[in-house]
Amino acid sequence: MRTTAYAFDNDAVDALRQHACLAAVLDSFSIDRIAGLDRMDGARCLDVGAGGSAVPVWLADRVGRAGEVVATDIKPRHIPNHSRIKVLTHDITTEPVPTGPFRLIRARLLLMHLLYPERVLRRLAAALPPGGTLVVEDWYLWLDDPVLVAPCARDARLIARFRRLLAEDVLARSGTDPYWASRIHATMRAAGLTDVDTQIFTPVWPAGSPGALLATISLTQFRERFLSLGLTAAELERIRQLVTDPTSGLVLRGHPLFSTMGHKTGLVGGSG
């Protein structure tokens, strides 16, 4: 049964570690994607579901003293502090888009976890002023052949089973769509945005790297569900050992991040 509850809780004991791993894996690519945008000095930007990413801080430095970054989350406790970051407790699924205009609106690893991502994307696109840019970045949860190297075939099968159960049962029960990322481009075009562009970042995660360590958050937060699905306590511990120990030799195919950018037709007006 799918619910409207977000899969990962910012109040969880290991949420800070999760945000740190995500930032280490994705922030550089996300910043590169928006670094080429012009007319950012004095602009207002909206980061929806900002989590603990450092991208809002990078944007706050970029927009200068006349600009502002509005960073939102349902539980915004992990959003970094900055004099030009305005933090809002906000649920994009039930509340209006914060008051703009915003030169840039971005959402990373958010829409994939929502029951109606197309609906939310259309609302974000509609909130752009002429000349504004929307950037949506989500993982395509790669379920086929996720293991590049493993100590043995049994370990490879165990990791593959864990990844499939996580995507198709544990996360799906909270509304996560493993394949939403492949629909972002078409949804942006249907929303009337122009010059839509998608780039795909496909990392490789060796054991002990931030990407591989993300599995430990799922092992902790969803332990009881994995046990109910047939994984044993010994198997869960083996997965933990494989992903955390750099000497295990495990190498994972990271989830491809689909980064899609679209623009609202027209000229930028004022500081928007």
Side-chain angles (χ1 to χ4, degrees):
M1 176 183 296
R2 300 178 81 198
T3 73
T4 57
Y6 184 70
F8 295 98
D9 190 342
N10 276 353
D11 289 339
V13 66
D14 50 5
L16 186 61
R17 185 163 58 91
Q18 180 186 27
H19 286 302
C21 288
L22 290 172
V25 170
L26 300 175
D27 276 2
S28 293
F29 175 78
S30 292
I31 288 171
D32 285 346
R33 280 291 278 159
I34 57 178
L37 294 176
D38 58 5
R39 302 187 182 185
M40 293 301 293
D41 187 49
R44 297 183 72 239
C45 304
L46 174 63
D47 199 315
V48 185
S53 169
V55 176
V57 174
W58 183 88
L59 280 170
D61 290 335
R62 182 98 185 277
V63 299
R65 294 182 179 179
E68 181 184 51
V69 176
V70 177
T72 77
D73 211 310
I74 295 176
K75 298 177 180 179
R77 60 185 298 181
H78 301 296
I79 295 175
N81 294 320
H82 192 287
S83 61
R84 288 190 290 277
I85 294 180
K86 178 180 179 181
V87 177
L88 292 181
T89 301
H90 181 269
D91 185 346
I92 192 62
T93 65
T94 60
E95 300 177 76
V97 178
T99 303
F102 297 105
R103 170 69 180 85
L104 169 68
I105 299 177
R106 64 181 303 273
R108 188 178 77 188
L109 301 188
L110 173 65
L111 272 64
M112 65 181 291
H113 294 294
L114 306 181
L115 282 175
Y116 306 107
E118 287 91 351
R119 184 182 302 173
V120 174
L121 189 150
R122 289 194 297 268
R123 291 175 56 219
L124 295 176
L128 288 172
T133 299
L134 174 64
V135 180
V136 174
E137 296 180 323
D138 277 307
W139 269 332
Y140 185 97
L141 297 185
W142 199 320
L143 303 182
D144 296 325
D145 301 320
V147 179
L148 297 181
V149 181
C152 64
R154 181 178 180 181
D155 286 333
R157 290 193 298 270
L158 177 61
I159 293 291
R161 183 183 176 199
F162 162 74
R163 289 263 291 245
R164 185 168 291 278
L165 289 175
L166 176 63
E168 294 188 339
D169 183 281
V170 177
L171 296 182
R173 287 168 62 87
S174 295
T176 299
D177 184 342
Y179 312 114
W180 147 252
S182 64
R183 305 198 304 274
I184 301 173
H185 195 113
T187 305
M188 276 201 187
R189 293 185 62 178
L193 300 185
T194 62
D195 299 323
V196 177
D197 169 72
T198 295
Q199 294 185 18
I200 303 174
F201 171 54
T202 306
V204 171
W205 297 336
S209 69
L213 292 176
L214 285 168
T216 64
I217 283 85
S218 298
L219 288 170
T220 298
Q221 291 198 26
F222 310 120
R223 176 180 175 82
E224 295 306 314
R225 182 60 187 169
F226 283 124
L227 291 173
S228 73
L229 291 170
L231 289 175
T232 67
E235 287 175 326
L236 296 180
E237 180 57 29
R238 179 56 178 165
I239 294 169
R240 186 180 301 277
Q241 293 172 353
L242 287 169
V243 299
T244 58
D245 183 2
T247 67
S248 74
L250 182 73
V251 181
L252 299 174
R253 191 195 306 269
H255 304 303
L257 184 76
F258 282 54
S259 176
T260 304
M261 179 182 299
H263 309 276
K264 179 71 74 68
T265 302
L267 299 175
V268 177
S271 61

